[in-house]
mmCIF file with all atom_site columns, all heavy atoms in Angstrom:
data_model
loop_
_atom_site.group_PDB
_atom_site.id
_atom_site.type_symbol
_atom_site.label_atom_id
_atom_site.label_alt_id
_atom_site.label_comp_id
_atom_site.label_asym_id
_atom_site.label_entity_id
_atom_site.label_seq_id
_atom_site.pdbx_PDB_ins_code
_atom_site.Cartn_x
_atom_site.Cartn_y
_atom_site.Cartn_z
_atom_site.occupancy
_atom_site.B_iso_or_equiv
_atom_site.pdbx_formal_charge
_atom_site.auth_seq_id
_atom_site.auth_comp_id
_atom_site.auth_asym_id
_atom_site.auth_atom_id
_atom_site.pdbx_PDB_model_num
ATOM 1   N N   . HIS Q 1 96  ? 12.530 5.280  15.205 1.00 0.00 ? 96  HIS Q N   1
ATOM 2   C CA  . HIS Q 1 96  ? 12.171 6.543  14.551 1.00 0.00 ? 96  HIS Q CA  1
ATOM 3   C C   . HIS Q 1 96  ? 12.630 7.767  15.348 1.00 0.00 ? 96  HIS Q C   1
ATOM 4   O O   . HIS Q 1 96  ? 12.551 8.887  14.844 1.00 0.00 ? 96  HIS Q O   1
ATOM 5   C CB  . HIS Q 1 96  ? 10.660 6.631  14.337 1.00 0.00 ? 96  HIS Q CB  1
ATOM 6   C CG  . HIS Q 1 96  ? 10.150 5.785  13.209 1.00 0.00 ? 96  HIS Q CG  1
ATOM 7   N ND1 . HIS Q 1 96  ? 10.664 5.850  11.936 1.00 0.00 ? 96  HIS Q ND1 1
ATOM 8   C CD2 . HIS Q 1 96  ? 9.160  4.855  13.157 1.00 0.00 ? 96  HIS Q CD2 1
ATOM 9   C CE1 . HIS Q 1 96  ? 10.021 5.006  11.147 1.00 0.00 ? 96  HIS Q CE1 1
ATOM 10  N NE2 . HIS Q 1 96  ? 9.111  4.390  11.861 1.00 0.00 ? 96  HIS Q NE2 1
ATOM 11  N N   . SER Q 1 97  ? 13.077 7.560  16.573 1.00 0.00 ? 97  SER Q N   1
ATOM 12  C CA  . SER Q 1 97  ? 13.512 8.665  17.421 1.00 0.00 ? 97  SER Q CA  1
ATOM 13  C C   . SER Q 1 97  ? 15.031 8.688  17.493 1.00 0.00 ? 97  SER Q C   1
ATOM 14  O O   . SER Q 1 97  ? 15.658 7.686  17.844 1.00 0.00 ? 97  SER Q O   1
ATOM 15  C CB  . SER Q 1 97  ? 12.919 8.527  18.832 1.00 0.00 ? 97  SER Q CB  1
ATOM 16  O OG  . SER Q 1 97  ? 13.364 9.558  19.675 1.00 0.00 ? 97  SER Q OG  1
ATOM 17  N N   . ASP Q 1 98  ? 15.639 9.817  17.175 1.00 0.00 ? 98  ASP Q N   1
ATOM 18  C CA  . ASP Q 1 98  ? 17.087 9.964  17.206 1.00 0.00 ? 98  ASP Q CA  1
ATOM 19  C C   . ASP Q 1 98  ? 17.523 10.363 18.615 1.00 0.00 ? 98  ASP Q C   1
ATOM 20  O O   . ASP Q 1 98  ? 16.995 11.321 19.193 1.00 0.00 ? 98  ASP Q O   1
ATOM 21  C CB  . ASP Q 1 98  ? 17.519 11.036 16.200 1.00 0.00 ? 98  ASP Q CB  1
ATOM 22  C CG  . ASP Q 1 98  ? 19.011 10.970 15.900 1.00 0.00 ? 98  ASP Q CG  1
ATOM 23  O OD1 . ASP Q 1 98  ? 19.767 10.508 16.763 1.00 0.00 ? 98  ASP Q OD1 1
ATOM 24  O OD2 . ASP Q 1 98  ? 19.417 11.389 14.801 1.00 0.00 ? 98  ASP Q OD2 1
ATOM 25  N N   . ASP Q 1 99  ? 18.491 9.642  19.175 1.00 0.00 ? 99  ASP Q N   1
ATOM 26  C CA  . ASP Q 1 99  ? 18.973 9.918  20.523 1.00 0.00 ? 99  ASP Q CA  1
ATOM 27  C C   . ASP Q 1 99  ? 20.059 10.978 20.569 1.00 0.00 ? 99  ASP Q C   1
ATOM 28  O O   . ASP Q 1 99  ? 20.602 11.258 21.640 1.00 0.00 ? 99  ASP Q O   1
ATOM 29  C CB  . ASP Q 1 99  ? 19.498 8.624  21.171 1.00 0.00 ? 99  ASP Q CB  1
ATOM 30  C CG  . ASP Q 1 99  ? 18.381 7.644  21.468 1.00 0.00 ? 99  ASP Q CG  1
ATOM 31  O OD1 . ASP Q 1 99  ? 17.244 8.106  21.687 1.00 0.00 ? 99  ASP Q OD1 1
ATOM 32  O OD2 . ASP Q 1 99  ? 18.628 6.427  21.468 1.00 0.00 ? 99  ASP Q OD2 1
ATOM 33  N N   . ASN Q 1 100 ? 20.417 11.560 19.449 1.00 0.00 ? 100 ASN Q N   1
ATOM 34  C CA  . ASN Q 1 100 ? 21.411 12.623 19.392 1.00 0.00 ? 100 ASN Q CA  1
ATOM 35  C C   . ASN Q 1 100 ? 20.729 13.970 19.177 1.00 0.00 ? 100 ASN Q C   1
ATOM 36  O O   . ASN Q 1 100 ? 19.724 14.063 18.476 1.00 0.00 ? 100 ASN Q O   1
ATOM 37  C CB  . ASN Q 1 100 ? 22.414 12.360 18.265 1.00 0.00 ? 100 ASN Q CB  1
ATOM 38  C CG  . ASN Q 1 100 ? 23.170 11.057 18.453 1.00 0.00 ? 100 ASN Q CG  1
ATOM 39  O OD1 . ASN Q 1 100 ? 23.691 10.780 19.528 1.00 0.00 ? 100 ASN Q OD1 1
ATOM 40  N ND2 . ASN Q 1 100 ? 23.233 10.245 17.406 1.00 0.00 ? 100 ASN Q ND2 1
ATOM 41  N N   . ALA Q 1 101 ? 21.292 15.008 19.797 1.00 0.00 ? 101 ALA Q N   1
ATOM 42  C CA  . ALA Q 1 101 ? 20.715 16.349 19.669 1.00 0.00 ? 101 ALA Q CA  1
ATOM 43  C C   . ALA Q 1 101 ? 20.666 16.758 18.196 1.00 0.00 ? 101 ALA Q C   1
ATOM 44  O O   . ALA Q 1 101 ? 21.587 16.462 17.447 1.00 0.00 ? 101 ALA Q O   1
ATOM 45  C CB  . ALA Q 1 101 ? 21.541 17.352 20.473 1.00 0.00 ? 101 ALA Q CB  1
ATOM 46  N N   . PRO Q 1 102 ? 19.561 17.389 17.774 1.00 0.00 ? 102 PRO Q N   1
ATOM 47  C CA  . PRO Q 1 102 ? 18.437 17.903 18.560 1.00 0.00 ? 102 PRO Q CA  1
ATOM 48  C C   . PRO Q 1 102 ? 17.289 16.912 18.755 1.00 0.00 ? 102 PRO Q C   1
ATOM 49  O O   . PRO Q 1 102 ? 16.134 17.326 18.874 1.00 0.00 ? 102 PRO Q O   1
ATOM 50  C CB  . PRO Q 1 102 ? 17.980 19.107 17.749 1.00 0.00 ? 102 PRO Q CB  1
ATOM 51  C CG  . PRO Q 1 102 ? 18.230 18.681 16.328 1.00 0.00 ? 102 PRO Q CG  1
ATOM 52  C CD  . PRO Q 1 102 ? 19.492 17.854 16.367 1.00 0.00 ? 102 PRO Q CD  1
ATOM 53  N N   . PHE Q 1 103 ? 17.554 15.619 18.763 1.00 0.00 ? 103 PHE Q N   1
ATOM 54  C CA  . PHE Q 1 103 ? 16.577 14.563 19.065 1.00 0.00 ? 103 PHE Q CA  1
ATOM 55  C C   . PHE Q 1 103 ? 15.348 14.595 18.157 1.00 0.00 ? 103 PHE Q C   1
ATOM 56  O O   . PHE Q 1 103 ? 14.206 14.608 18.631 1.00 0.00 ? 103 PHE Q O   1
ATOM 57  C CB  . PHE Q 1 103 ? 16.126 14.656 20.532 1.00 0.00 ? 103 PHE Q CB  1
ATOM 58  C CG  . PHE Q 1 103 ? 17.244 14.837 21.505 1.00 0.00 ? 103 PHE Q CG  1
ATOM 59  C CD1 . PHE Q 1 103 ? 17.421 16.046 22.166 1.00 0.00 ? 103 PHE Q CD1 1
ATOM 60  C CD2 . PHE Q 1 103 ? 18.132 13.808 21.759 1.00 0.00 ? 103 PHE Q CD2 1
ATOM 61  C CE1 . PHE Q 1 103 ? 18.463 16.211 23.066 1.00 0.00 ? 103 PHE Q CE1 1
ATOM 62  C CE2 . PHE Q 1 103 ? 19.171 13.968 22.662 1.00 0.00 ? 103 PHE Q CE2 1
ATOM 63  C CZ  . PHE Q 1 103 ? 19.347 15.171 23.310 1.00 0.00 ? 103 PHE Q CZ  1
ATOM 64  N N   . PRO Q 1 104 ? 15.530 14.619 16.841 1.00 0.00 ? 104 PRO Q N   1
ATOM 65  C CA  . PRO Q 1 104 ? 14.356 14.655 15.959 1.00 0.00 ? 104 PRO Q CA  1
ATOM 66  C C   . PRO Q 1 104 ? 13.617 13.314 15.936 1.00 0.00 ? 104 PRO Q C   1
ATOM 67  O O   . PRO Q 1 104 ? 14.238 12.251 16.038 1.00 0.00 ? 104 PRO Q O   1
ATOM 68  C CB  . PRO Q 1 104 ? 14.948 14.979 14.590 1.00 0.00 ? 104 PRO Q CB  1
ATOM 69  C CG  . PRO Q 1 104 ? 16.340 14.407 14.650 1.00 0.00 ? 104 PRO Q CG  1
ATOM 70  C CD  . PRO Q 1 104 ? 16.788 14.598 16.068 1.00 0.00 ? 104 PRO Q CD  1
ATOM 71  N N   . HIS Q 1 105 ? 12.321 13.374 15.818 1.00 0.00 ? 105 HIS Q N   1
ATOM 72  C CA  . HIS Q 1 105 ? 11.488 12.192 15.622 1.00 0.00 ? 105 HIS Q CA  1
ATOM 73  C C   . HIS Q 1 105 ? 10.919 12.246 14.212 1.00 0.00 ? 105 HIS Q C   1
ATOM 74  O O   . HIS Q 1 105 ? 10.498 13.314 13.739 1.00 0.00 ? 105 HIS Q O   1
ATOM 75  C CB  . HIS Q 1 105 ? 10.358 12.141 16.651 1.00 0.00 ? 105 HIS Q CB  1
ATOM 76  C CG  . HIS Q 1 105 ? 9.645  10.830 16.699 1.00 0.00 ? 105 HIS Q CG  1
ATOM 77  N ND1 . HIS Q 1 105 ? 8.773  10.405 15.711 1.00 0.00 ? 105 HIS Q ND1 1
ATOM 78  C CD2 . HIS Q 1 105 ? 9.691  9.808  17.604 1.00 0.00 ? 105 HIS Q CD2 1
ATOM 79  C CE1 . HIS Q 1 105 ? 8.301  9.203  16.010 1.00 0.00 ? 105 HIS Q CE1 1
ATOM 80  N NE2 . HIS Q 1 105 ? 8.845  8.825  17.152 1.00 0.00 ? 105 HIS Q NE2 1
ATOM 81  N N   . VAL Q 1 106 ? 10.923 11.104 13.536 1.00 0.00 ? 106 VAL Q N   1
ATOM 82  C CA  . VAL Q 1 106 ? 10.508 11.074 12.124 1.00 0.00 ? 106 VAL Q CA  1
ATOM 83  C C   . VAL Q 1 106 ? 9.101  11.622 11.960 1.00 0.00 ? 106 VAL Q C   1
ATOM 84  O O   . VAL Q 1 106 ? 8.828  12.419 11.046 1.00 0.00 ? 106 VAL Q O   1
ATOM 85  C CB  . VAL Q 1 106 ? 10.610 9.634  11.581 1.00 0.00 ? 106 VAL Q CB  1
ATOM 86  C CG1 . VAL Q 1 106 ? 10.024 9.566  10.169 1.00 0.00 ? 106 VAL Q CG1 1
ATOM 87  C CG2 . VAL Q 1 106 ? 12.054 9.161  11.575 1.00 0.00 ? 106 VAL Q CG2 1
ATOM 88  N N   . ARG Q 1 107 ? 8.193  11.218 12.838 1.00 0.00 ? 107 ARG Q N   1
ATOM 89  C CA  . ARG Q 1 107 ? 6.805  11.662 12.685 1.00 0.00 ? 107 ARG Q CA  1
ATOM 90  C C   . ARG Q 1 107 ? 6.713  13.176 12.766 1.00 0.00 ? 107 ARG Q C   1
ATOM 91  O O   . ARG Q 1 107 ? 6.033  13.818 11.954 1.00 0.00 ? 107 ARG Q O   1
ATOM 92  C CB  . ARG Q 1 107 ? 5.935  11.024 13.772 1.00 0.00 ? 107 ARG Q CB  1
ATOM 93  C CG  . ARG Q 1 107 ? 4.462  11.443 13.714 1.00 0.00 ? 107 ARG Q CG  1
ATOM 94  C CD  . ARG Q 1 107 ? 3.665  10.912 14.881 1.00 0.00 ? 107 ARG Q CD  1
ATOM 95  N NE  . ARG Q 1 107 ? 4.226  11.342 16.148 1.00 0.00 ? 107 ARG Q NE  1
ATOM 96  C CZ  . ARG Q 1 107 ? 4.806  10.519 17.029 1.00 0.00 ? 107 ARG Q CZ  1
ATOM 97  N NH1 . ARG Q 1 107 ? 4.896  9.231  16.775 1.00 0.00 ? 107 ARG Q NH1 1
ATOM 98  N NH2 . ARG Q 1 107 ? 5.289  10.993 18.155 1.00 0.00 ? 107 ARG Q NH2 1
ATOM 99  N N   . GLU Q 1 108 ? 7.411  13.796 13.714 1.00 0.00 ? 108 GLU Q N   1
ATOM 100 C CA  . GLU Q 1 108 ? 7.317  15.245 13.888 1.00 0.00 ? 108 GLU Q CA  1
ATOM 101 C C   . GLU Q 1 108 ? 8.001  15.986 12.740 1.00 0.00 ? 108 GLU Q C   1
ATOM 102 O O   . GLU Q 1 108 ? 7.511  17.028 12.286 1.00 0.00 ? 108 GLU Q O   1
ATOM 103 C CB  . GLU Q 1 108 ? 7.931  15.629 15.228 1.00 0.00 ? 108 GLU Q CB  1
ATOM 104 C CG  . GLU Q 1 108 ? 7.174  15.040 16.410 1.00 0.00 ? 108 GLU Q CG  1
ATOM 105 C CD  . GLU Q 1 108 ? 7.904  15.227 17.714 1.00 0.00 ? 108 GLU Q CD  1
ATOM 106 O OE1 . GLU Q 1 108 ? 9.039  15.758 17.698 1.00 0.00 ? 108 GLU Q OE1 1
ATOM 107 O OE2 . GLU Q 1 108 ? 7.353  14.846 18.766 1.00 0.00 ? 108 GLU Q OE2 1
ATOM 108 N N   . VAL Q 1 109 ? 9.133  15.467 12.260 1.00 0.00 ? 109 VAL Q N   1
ATOM 109 C CA  . VAL Q 1 109 ? 9.806  16.106 11.129 1.00 0.00 ? 109 VAL Q CA  1
ATOM 110 C C   . VAL Q 1 109 ? 8.931  16.050 9.887  1.00 0.00 ? 109 VAL Q C   1
ATOM 111 O O   . VAL Q 1 109 ? 8.794  17.045 9.152  1.00 0.00 ? 109 VAL Q O   1
ATOM 112 C CB  . VAL Q 1 109 ? 11.173 15.433 10.880 1.00 0.00 ? 109 VAL Q CB  1
ATOM 113 C CG1 . VAL Q 1 109 ? 11.786 15.922 9.572  1.00 0.00 ? 109 VAL Q CG1 1
ATOM 114 C CG2 . VAL Q 1 109 ? 12.122 15.709 12.027 1.00 0.00 ? 109 VAL Q CG2 1
ATOM 115 N N   . LEU Q 1 110 ? 8.299  14.899 9.640  1.00 0.00 ? 110 LEU Q N   1
ATOM 116 C CA  . LEU Q 1 110 ? 7.439  14.787 8.462  1.00 0.00 ? 110 LEU Q CA  1
ATOM 117 C C   . LEU Q 1 110 ? 6.187  15.648 8.597  1.00 0.00 ? 110 LEU Q C   1
ATOM 118 O O   . LEU Q 1 110 ? 5.680  16.177 7.593  1.00 0.00 ? 110 LEU Q O   1
ATOM 119 C CB  . LEU Q 1 110 ? 7.062  13.319 8.235  1.00 0.00 ? 110 LEU Q CB  1
ATOM 120 C CG  . LEU Q 1 110 ? 8.217  12.375 7.888  1.00 0.00 ? 110 LEU Q CG  1
ATOM 121 C CD1 . LEU Q 1 110 ? 7.689  10.990 7.553  1.00 0.00 ? 110 LEU Q CD1 1
ATOM 122 C CD2 . LEU Q 1 110 ? 9.052  12.920 6.726  1.00 0.00 ? 110 LEU Q CD2 1
ATOM 123 N N   . GLU Q 1 111 ? 5.677  15.812 9.804  1.00 0.00 ? 111 GLU Q N   1
ATOM 124 C CA  . GLU Q 1 111 ? 4.546  16.723 10.001 1.00 0.00 ? 111 GLU Q CA  1
ATOM 125 C C   . GLU Q 1 111 ? 4.943  18.150 9.630  1.00 0.00 ? 111 GLU Q C   1
ATOM 126 O O   . GLU Q 1 111 ? 4.190  18.866 8.951  1.00 0.00 ? 111 GLU Q O   1
ATOM 127 C CB  . GLU Q 1 111 ? 4.073  16.670 11.455 1.00 0.00 ? 111 GLU Q CB  1
ATOM 128 C CG  . GLU Q 1 111 ? 3.364  15.382 11.837 1.00 0.00 ? 111 GLU Q CG  1
ATOM 129 C CD  . GLU Q 1 111 ? 3.081  15.334 13.331 1.00 0.00 ? 111 GLU Q CD  1
ATOM 130 O OE1 . GLU Q 1 111 ? 3.259  16.365 14.006 1.00 0.00 ? 111 GLU Q OE1 1
ATOM 131 O OE2 . GLU Q 1 111 ? 2.692  14.270 13.831 1.00 0.00 ? 111 GLU Q OE2 1
ATOM 132 N N   . LEU Q 1 112 ? 6.131  18.575 10.076 1.00 0.00 ? 112 LEU Q N   1
ATOM 133 C CA  . LEU Q 1 112 ? 6.596  19.929 9.757  1.00 0.00 ? 112 LEU Q CA  1
ATOM 134 C C   . LEU Q 1 112 ? 6.812  20.098 8.247  1.00 0.00 ? 112 LEU Q C   1
ATOM 135 O O   . LEU Q 1 112 ? 6.481  21.151 7.680  1.00 0.00 ? 112 LEU Q O   1
ATOM 136 C CB  . LEU Q 1 112 ? 7.893  20.220 10.509 1.00 0.00 ? 112 LEU Q CB  1
ATOM 137 C CG  . LEU Q 1 112 ? 7.763  20.375 12.027 1.00 0.00 ? 112 LEU Q CG  1
ATOM 138 C CD1 . LEU Q 1 112 ? 9.137  20.469 12.668 1.00 0.00 ? 112 LEU Q CD1 1
ATOM 139 C CD2 . LEU Q 1 112 ? 6.930  21.603 12.376 1.00 0.00 ? 112 LEU Q CD2 1
ATOM 140 N N   . ARG Q 1 113 ? 7.358  19.072 7.605  1.00 0.00 ? 113 ARG Q N   1
ATOM 141 C CA  . ARG Q 1 113 ? 7.564  19.159 6.162  1.00 0.00 ? 113 ARG Q CA  1
ATOM 142 C C   . ARG Q 1 113 ? 6.229  19.196 5.418  1.00 0.00 ? 113 ARG Q C   1
ATOM 143 O O   . ARG Q 1 113 ? 6.091  19.890 4.399  1.00 0.00 ? 113 ARG Q O   1
ATOM 144 C CB  . ARG Q 1 113 ? 8.410  17.988 5.668  1.00 0.00 ? 113 ARG Q CB  1
ATOM 145 C CG  . ARG Q 1 113 ? 9.825  17.986 6.218  1.00 0.00 ? 113 ARG Q CG  1
ATOM 146 C CD  . ARG Q 1 113 ? 10.728 17.036 5.463  1.00 0.00 ? 113 ARG Q CD  1
ATOM 147 N NE  . ARG Q 1 113 ? 10.980 17.498 4.096  1.00 0.00 ? 113 ARG Q NE  1
ATOM 148 C CZ  . ARG Q 1 113 ? 11.848 16.931 3.264  1.00 0.00 ? 113 ARG Q CZ  1
ATOM 149 N NH1 . ARG Q 1 113 ? 12.556 15.873 3.669  1.00 0.00 ? 113 ARG Q NH1 1
ATOM 150 N NH2 . ARG Q 1 113 ? 12.025 17.395 2.044  1.00 0.00 ? 113 ARG Q NH2 1
ATOM 151 N N   . ALA Q 1 114 ? 5.252  18.444 5.916  1.00 0.00 ? 114 ALA Q N   1
ATOM 152 C CA  . ALA Q 1 114 ? 3.936  18.451 5.268  1.00 0.00 ? 114 ALA Q CA  1
ATOM 153 C C   . ALA Q 1 114 ? 3.298  19.831 5.345  1.00 0.00 ? 114 ALA Q C   1
ATOM 154 O O   . ALA Q 1 114 ? 2.710  20.317 4.372  1.00 0.00 ? 114 ALA Q O   1
ATOM 155 C CB  . ALA Q 1 114 ? 3.027  17.405 5.913  1.00 0.00 ? 114 ALA Q CB  1
ATOM 156 N N   . VAL Q 1 115 ? 3.430  20.499 6.504  1.00 0.00 ? 115 VAL Q N   1
ATOM 157 C CA  . VAL Q 1 115 ? 2.854  21.833 6.657  1.00 0.00 ? 115 VAL Q CA  1
ATOM 158 C C   . VAL Q 1 115 ? 3.657  22.854 5.852  1.00 0.00 ? 115 VAL Q C   1
ATOM 159 O O   . VAL Q 1 115 ? 3.099  23.696 5.143  1.00 0.00 ? 115 VAL Q O   1
ATOM 160 C CB  . VAL Q 1 115 ? 2.808  22.217 8.148  1.00 0.00 ? 115 VAL Q CB  1
ATOM 161 C CG1 . VAL Q 1 115 ? 2.378  23.674 8.308  1.00 0.00 ? 115 VAL Q CG1 1
ATOM 162 C CG2 . VAL Q 1 115 ? 1.861  21.305 8.903  1.00 0.00 ? 115 VAL Q CG2 1
ATOM 163 N N   . GLY Q 1 116 ? 4.998  22.770 5.950  1.00 0.00 ? 116 GLY Q N   1
ATOM 164 C CA  . GLY Q 1 116 ? 5.833  23.764 5.292  1.00 0.00 ? 116 GLY Q CA  1
ATOM 165 C C   . GLY Q 1 116 ? 5.825  23.675 3.784  1.00 0.00 ? 116 GLY Q C   1
ATOM 166 O O   . GLY Q 1 116 ? 5.907  24.698 3.091  1.00 0.00 ? 116 GLY Q O   1
ATOM 167 N N   . GLU Q 1 117 ? 5.722  22.454 3.243  1.00 0.00 ? 117 GLU Q N   1
ATOM 168 C CA  . GLU Q 1 117 ? 5.787  22.275 1.792  1.00 0.00 ? 117 GLU Q CA  1
ATOM 169 C C   . GLU Q 1 117 ? 4.424  21.995 1.163  1.00 0.00 ? 117 GLU Q C   1
ATOM 170 O O   . GLU Q 1 117 ? 4.337  21.731 -0.036 1.00 0.00 ? 117 GLU Q O   1
ATOM 171 C CB  . GLU Q 1 117 ? 6.767  21.151 1.455  1.00 0.00 ? 117 GLU Q CB  1
ATOM 172 C CG  . GLU Q 1 117 ? 8.172  21.410 2.005  1.00 0.00 ? 117 GLU Q CG  1
ATOM 173 C CD  . GLU Q 1 117 ? 9.189  20.408 1.519  1.00 0.00 ? 117 GLU Q CD  1
ATOM 174 O OE1 . GLU Q 1 117 ? 9.129  20.030 0.333  1.00 0.00 ? 117 GLU Q OE1 1
ATOM 175 O OE2 . GLU Q 1 117 ? 10.052 20.002 2.322  1.00 0.00 ? 117 GLU Q OE2 1
ATOM 176 N N   . GLY Q 1 118 ? 3.371  22.009 1.974  1.00 0.00 ? 118 GLY Q N   1
ATOM 177 C CA  . GLY Q 1 118 ? 2.027  21.844 1.444  1.00 0.00 ? 118 GLY Q CA  1
ATOM 178 C C   . GLY Q 1 118 ? 1.777  20.498 0.796  1.00 0.00 ? 118 GLY Q C   1
ATOM 179 O O   . GLY Q 1 118 ? 1.164  20.420 -0.278 1.00 0.00 ? 118 GLY Q O   1
ATOM 180 N N   . CYS Q 1 119 ? 2.243  19.427 1.420  1.00 0.00 ? 119 CYS Q N   1
ATOM 181 C CA  . CYS Q 1 119 ? 2.073  18.092 0.845  1.00 0.00 ? 119 CYS Q CA  1
ATOM 182 C C   . CYS Q 1 119 ? 1.257  17.213 1.783  1.00 0.00 ? 119 CYS Q C   1
ATOM 183 O O   . CYS Q 1 119 ? 0.921  17.603 2.908  1.00 0.00 ? 119 CYS Q O   1
ATOM 184 C CB  . CYS Q 1 119 ? 3.439  17.448 0.564  1.00 0.00 ? 119 CYS Q CB  1
ATOM 185 S SG  . CYS Q 1 119 ? 4.389  17.044 2.036  1.00 0.00 ? 119 CYS Q SG  1
ATOM 186 N N   . ALA Q 1 120 ? 0.944  16.023 1.329  1.00 0.00 ? 120 ALA Q N   1
ATOM 187 C CA  . ALA Q 1 120 ? 0.156  15.082 2.121  1.00 0.00 ? 120 ALA Q CA  1
ATOM 188 C C   . ALA Q 1 120 ? 1.030  14.388 3.150  1.00 0.00 ? 120 ALA Q C   1
ATOM 189 O O   . ALA Q 1 120 ? 2.236  14.192 2.957  1.00 0.00 ? 120 ALA Q O   1
ATOM 190 C CB  . ALA Q 1 120 ? -0.495 14.053 1.200  1.00 0.00 ? 120 ALA Q CB  1
#
Side-chain angles (χ1 to χ4, degrees):
H96 284 307
S97 178
D98 196 333
D99 291 332
N100 299 312
F103 314 109
H105 192 287
V106 173
R107 179 186 57 248
E108 296 171 356
V109 171
L110 295 186
E111 289 173 10
L112 290 172
R113 295 194 68 173
V115 173
E117 302 188 40
C119 68

